Amino acid sequence: MPRIIPIDMKRILIAFYAVLLVAVVEAQPQSTNLIPAPAEYSVRSGSISSNKMAGLHEKVRISEKALLRRLEGRKLADWQLKSAYWMELGKKGVKIVAADEEGVFYARQTLKMMASLDSTVSCCTILDWPRFRYRGVMLDESRHFQGKDFVKKQLEMMALLKMNRFHFHLVDNPGWRLQIDAYPRLTKLTAWRPEAFFWDWEKNQIGGAFVEEGTSEAYGGYYTKQDIADILAFASERHIEVIPEIEMPGHNYETRAAYPELACSLPNGGKDPWELCPGKESTFEFLEKVLLEVFDMFPSQYIHIGGDEARKNNWQLCADCQAKMKAEGLKGVEELQSYMIRRMERFAHKHGKRIIGWDEILQGGLAPDATVMSWHGIEAGLKAVKEGHDVIFTPTHYFYLDYHQDSAQFRPVGRLVSLEKVYSFEPMAESISEADAHHVLGIQGCLWTEHVQDAWHAEMMLYPRVFAIAETGWSQAENKKSSTAEGKAKDWQDFERRASVLSEVARKWGYTVYPCR
Ligand code: ACM
Ligand code: ZN
């Protein structure tokens, strides 16, 4: 027999259940605070207190077949499958399915971030994989040297953000930062200078002096082979590949200060201030010996050979350069640079490596297998893609992290590269055909440090902008690519909200995140 409930009591009960329902829905948000946003996320009933997340029971299955079943026909490239994961978070524990350890690692990073961002974590199911295979950060340690602990701290944050390439700009005009046994003066002399702040050392585009290691109050430092081994082990545990850059032929003031014979021979006896002389065989002998030690230290598939901003004008005046151009049938200095890069590429190939260079390596003809880092904008990258080359986009006006974030910033330089500007970059330009899309390896933020002397300043330039680069590199286009202006504004507002939650957490962990308090 049905229970008879008085009409007023019925109303009270309906109101009570309605309030309860609203409370439950509010406690279980349909989106997450995660950065980068996962490909697919759905809420399940229940939640877990974040302080219980660390001890959560984990059931892990590494099986490509099992992951493919979860993907239910979604088509992923092999490299995406390797990083992909399915995860079901319930009150009693978490189940993870992945094709590879790397996917399990990213699932755990997701759990770690969820536990850090919210005091209560909703039970959920996540299916997730990266959009681009190269999701990078570059750090210039030549202008100002931060050292091993700083690098590890940034690798930790990169891993949390599912970034996987660390481009290590280790050598440049104001300091060489890597132990090379065959050429000890690179670190005994040119890792040290009297002035700490770069602009006090470099005046009017002319570099200053270096001082011997051990000189009192000398500024500088370098990585020993043991330091590099430590950093590489730390990075490898976090599925990050470290790509060293050894600059050639420009940006070599320091190598020439250590070994003056690497400079061009000029008729007036003067020496040009920047470049190596590609006319001399001894220059190639130097580079090859250096690279052999670099290859021994770094297991990365790629070596970055620089190639940017070589002035080349003294090559016109140098007898050795002129003789080399004649002997090799080269029509100008652009082709002389191209000859050098192609030759270094052959050397790299012989040792199982591939080269990356800044977009100037297109001038005078691109080396056959080179990957281009498109920094002047995106045009050089688009040209390289058309020619069948791989490309990484690092356009200055979006991804140069030495540029200021707002006009109130400490030591503002360059154009305004706000968080919103960084977030707005779309790597897949409409002119890139579907057949060529695989040549876009990904994106990278570059922190040049001419104006950035201290660790806190470096972090303030990195964060929160690196959060936006991570999201563009990992999250699927569909999560972001709203076609209407209104949709774009919503995407940005949601990202800004999530970035501010993560910024607060990062500050608690000891990172300096802009804007600083
Ligand atoms: C560069 O900014 N010179 C690559
Ligand atoms: Zn020369």
Side-chain angles (χ1 to χ4, degrees):
M1 199 172 91
R3 270 192 306 152
I4 297 165
I5 301 172
I7 189 80
D8 280 355
M9 193 60 193
K10 251 189 188 166
R11 281 211 188 107
I12 289 167
L13 275 178
I14 288 167
F16 173 74
Y17 284 124
V19 167
L20 200 64
L21 188 67
V22 167
V24 167
V25 168
E26 276 188 356
Q28 295 182 353
Q30 294 298 320
S31 66
T32 72
N33 283 332
L34 284 169
I35 295 179
E40 295 179 26
Y41 169 88
S42 50
V43 182
R44 306 172 69 232
S45 69
S47 60
I48 306 160
S49 164
S50 62
N51 55 23
K52 298 225 172 88
M53 292 279 285
L56 211 59
H57 179 260
E58 228 186 41
K59 194 171 160 207
V60 175
R61 177 138 194 242
I62 300 185
S63 153
E64 188 171 313
K65 259 193 187 159
L67 179 65
L68 288 172
R69 271 200 302 279
R70 302 289 178 186
L71 284 165
E72 292 175 350
R74 294 168 185 80
K75 290 257 176 303
L76 265 57
D78 285 350
W79 63 267
Q80 283 173 311
L81 267 183
K82 207 164 165 254
S83 315
Y85 64 94
W86 173 90
M87 186 175 96
E88 190 174 81
L89 178 63
K91 277 186 170 172
K92 298 220 174 90
V94 60
K95 290 185 217 156
I96 296 171
V97 177
D100 190 274
E101 277 297 341
E102 195 175 304
V104 177
F105 176 76
Y106 288 131
R108 289 186 179 136
Q109 295 304 90
T110 296
L111 288 167
K112 185 172 160 189
M113 195 182 265
M114 288 199 296
S116 313
L117 295 176
D118 296 303
S119 54
T120 307
V121 178
S122 300
C123 294
C124 60
T125 307
I126 294 181
L127 189 56
D128 199 11
W129 63 92
R131 182 177 178 204
F132 292 103
R133 72 183 82 181
Y134 189 114
R135 308 177 295 278
V137 172
M138 187 214 81
L139 177 67
D140 165 13
E141 285 227 85
S142 171
R143 273 60 180 235
H144 292 105
F145 182 69
Q146 300 302 342
K148 194 163 70 170
D149 291 343
F150 177 86
V151 167
K152 286 184 178 176
K153 188 177 170 193
Q154 310 325 314
L155 291 173
E156 193 74 271
M157 180 58 86
M158 284 176 65
L160 189 68
L161 293 163
K162 305 187 175 81
M163 301 184 92
N164 66 349
R165 299 285 189 279
F166 180 64
H167 169 178
F168 217 172
H169 189 81
L170 284 162
V171 305
D172 211 311
N173 299 327
W176 181 284
R177 309 286 177 212
L178 185 64
Q179 178 186 350
I180 299 291
D181 296 333
Y183 296 100
R185 285 187 68 70
L186 293 171
T187 44
K188 284 199 182 318
L189 179 69
T190 50
W192 306 96
R193 62 187 193 231
E195 301 86 356
F197 188 43
F198 168 79
W199 293 114
D200 293 335
W201 176 85
E202 182 176 286
K203 296 183 183 90
N204 304 323
Q205 302 239 329
I206 298 175
F210 295 98
V211 292
E212 295 287 338
E213 185 172 19
T215 303
S216 103
E217 298 194 16
Y219 173 87
Y222 61 89
Y223 290 107
T224 63
K225 293 191 172 178
Q226 186 55 50
D227 291 332
I228 293 295
D230 274 7
I231 289 174
L232 289 174
F234 190 88
S236 159
E237 282 164 17
R238 288 157 183 77
H239 296 270
I240 296 173
E241 182 174 289
V242 180
I243 299 173
E245 178 178 352
I246 302 297
E247 276 268 11
M248 61 188 82
H251 288 267
N252 263 275
Y253 183 87
E254 85 293 20
T255 43
R256 307 223 337 235
Y259 297 98
E261 62 274 23
L262 298 170
C264 282
S265 322
L266 300 179
N268 60 8
K271 303 276 186 200
D272 68 320
W274 281 73
E275 280 122 30
L276 296 172
C277 174
K280 294 183 177 67
E281 277 307 299
S282 54
T283 301
F284 290 94
E285 190 184 318
F286 168 82
L287 289 172
E288 289 179 5
K289 276 194 183 160
V290 167
L291 285 186
L292 279 181
E293 290 192 35
V294 172
F295 295 162
D296 270 354
M297 272 183 264
F298 293 86
S300 59
Q301 182 192 10
Y302 291 103
I303 170 82
H304 198 304
I305 50 74
D308 58 317
E309 298 182 310
R311 296 178 191 172
K312 308 182 186 86
N313 41 351
N314 283 316
W315 295 354
Q316 306 271 19
L317 308 170
C318 166
D320 294 321
C321 285
Q322 290 300 311
K324 179 67 81 186
M325 285 163 65
K326 201 162 168 211
E328 297 293 334
L330 307 172
K331 285 193 212 73
V333 288
E334 308 290 0
E335 288 193 12
L336 182 55
Q337 162 145 331
S338 174
Y339 162 82
M340 183 181 210
I341 303 296
R342 285 168 192 261
R343 191 164 155 180
M344 296 320 296
E345 177 175 78
R346 286 199 296 278
F347 183 75
H349 279 177
K350 213 164 90 188
H351 296 278
K353 302 279 184 181
R354 300 179 67 189
I355 65 164
I356 302 176
W358 298 108
D359 57 40
E360 288 93 330
I361 64 169
L362 279 153
Q363 298 161 9
L366 197 47
D369 179 49
T371 294
V372 172
M373 217 164 236
S374 187
W375 70 280
H376 282 95
I378 61 165
E379 286 68 28
L382 296 178
K383 181 170 186 289
V385 165
K386 277 224 169 77
E387 291 178 18
H389 287 261
D390 289 346
V391 166
I392 298 148
F393 285 111
T394 67
T396 52
H397 295 169
Y398 293 91
F399 287 165
Y400 264 32
L401 302 176
D402 52 333
Y403 287 14
H404 63 283
Q405 300 172 70
D406 74 39
S407 53
Q409 189 172 318
F410 177 62
R411 288 194 195 134
V413 293
R415 295 239 189 144
L416 177 68
V417 176
S418 63
L419 180 62
E420 186 170 4
K421 182 87 197 250
V422 178
Y423 181 76
S424 72
F425 184 71
E426 169 49 49
M428 215 45 97
E430 279 176 13
S431 65
I432 299 171
S433 71
E434 213 167 295
D436 282 343
H438 68 280
H439 284 307
V440 179
L441 299 189
I443 55 174
Q444 175 175 283
C446 298
L447 181 54
W448 300 102
T449 60
E450 282 93 336
H451 302 268
V452 179
Q453 183 176 347
D454 304 297
W456 65 266
H457 190 186
E459 286 183 1
M460 170 182 113
M461 304 311 278
L462 289 167
Y463 310 114
R465 293 184 291 186
V466 165
F467 303 164
I469 298 169
E471 174 128 325
T472 303
W474 178 280
S475 300
Q476 304 308 303
E478 301 78 59
N479 283 1
K480 181 174 167 186
K481 212 176 176 181
S482 301
S483 52
T484 61
E486 194 186 331
K488 281 199 174 82
K490 263 199 184 151
D491 286 347
W492 158 244
Q493 280 157 15
D494 183 58
F495 176 76
E496 193 185 26
R497 178 188 62 75
R498 288 180 287 128
S500 85
V501 177
L502 182 55
S503 295
E504 233 11 84
V505 171
R507 284 186 193 110
K508 279 193 199 125
W509 288 339
Y511 290 87
T512 307
V513 180
Y514 193 80
C516 307
R517 310 272 155 73

